[in-house]
């Protein structure tokens, strides 16, 4: 794990694997909520075909804690600054769920750095008022209760039945990450997601290649909703992974990596 300091002094940690292959693309993998770079453990084999950058967003993993709230735009700007410091001028953004929400901001504000998008288990719409209210309640609660109840509740929602039954070590690693995430970060991210913009109108205007990956058993961002989103994006590729829930790259790493390699090679 490496780290750099952003211009304002905050430390951001990341994994970086440089691919020796000529003309290999760079993929930046941006984790979901409330996780860190370790959710991409199954994507390490992709270093044979691409350089990989896997940051911990501010507040998460080994990066500095959140001091004053966050926004999806700020998180995107932080990653852009990290990439600039690393000399990565063009990247494929691969974001899962919240990492996808941050990706829309990257597309809007840093499009000159973007050569493609992999949208995993995410959506372009903003929260409706009921969901936003639920997040505000959850943000207030987590500061009182700590992260353990969040981990317990999310455990049931993040994975397919198959993963829950057959891959307990995968489930346990994600639960551990959630439990070790600072309640203040969880609260700040919930509030930031509740205020995020709606990017649906942007979808038909996307000019870079896009791969949309859904999990057959995802109850948070259902596959049929993701397929509708993919149909709005000109020329996009849609892949639905069987026996995968919301954490599809971690639950079905080989199938996911195969889809990415195939899409890059097109
Ligand atoms: C995530 O996986 O990042 C979250 O489920 C996003 C959300 O709560 O909308």
């Amino acid at each position: 794990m490496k780290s750099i300091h952003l211009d304002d002094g905050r430390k951001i940690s990341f994994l970086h694997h440089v691919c020796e292959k000529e003309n290999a693309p760079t993929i930046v993998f941006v984790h979901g909520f409330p996780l860190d770079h370790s959710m991409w453990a199954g994507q390490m084999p992709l270093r044979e075909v691409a350089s990989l950058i896997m940051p911990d967003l501010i507040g998460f993993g080994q990066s500095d804690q959140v001091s004053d709230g966050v926004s999806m735009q700020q998180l995107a700007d932080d990653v852009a600054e990290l990439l600039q410091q690393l000399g990565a001028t063009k990247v494929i953004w691969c974001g899962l769920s919240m990492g996808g929400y941050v990706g829309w901001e990257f597309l809007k504000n840093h499009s000159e750095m973007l050569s493609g998008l992999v949208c995993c288990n995410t959506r372009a719409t903003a929260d409706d008022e009921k969901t936003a209210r639920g997040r505000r309640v959850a943000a207030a609660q987590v500061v009182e209760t700590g992260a353990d109840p969040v981990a317990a509740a999310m455990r049931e929602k993040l994975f397919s039945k198959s993963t829950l039954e057959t891959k307990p070590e995968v489930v346990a690693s994600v639960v551990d990450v959630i439990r070790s995430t600072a309640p203040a970060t969880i609260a700040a991210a919930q509030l930031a997601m509740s205020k995020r913009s709606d990017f649906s109108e942007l979808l038909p205007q996307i000019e870079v290649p896009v791969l949309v990956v859904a999990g057959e058993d995802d109850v948070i961002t259902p596959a049929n909703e993701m397929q509708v989103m993919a149909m709005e994006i000109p020329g996009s590729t849609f892949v639905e992974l069987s026996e995968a829930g919301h954490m599809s790259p971690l639950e079905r790493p080989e199938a996911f990596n195969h889809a990415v390699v195939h899409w890059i090679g097109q």
Side-chain angles (χ1 to χ4, degrees), residues 45-62:
L46 288 173
R47 65 183 162 193
E48 299 296 326
V49 296
S51 292
L52 315 179
I53 299 173
M54 299 174 170
D56 287 343
L57 295 172
I58 285 292
F60 298 92
Q62 295 173 41

Side-chain angles (χ1 to χ4, degrees), residues 32-33 96-99 101 123 135 154 158 193 220 246:
F33 163 88
L96 182 129
S97 203
M98 184 182 77
Y101 308 159
R123 54 169 59 91
R135 289 197 200 271
M154 289 197 79
L158 288 177
M193 288 191 286
I220 297 176
H246 192 57

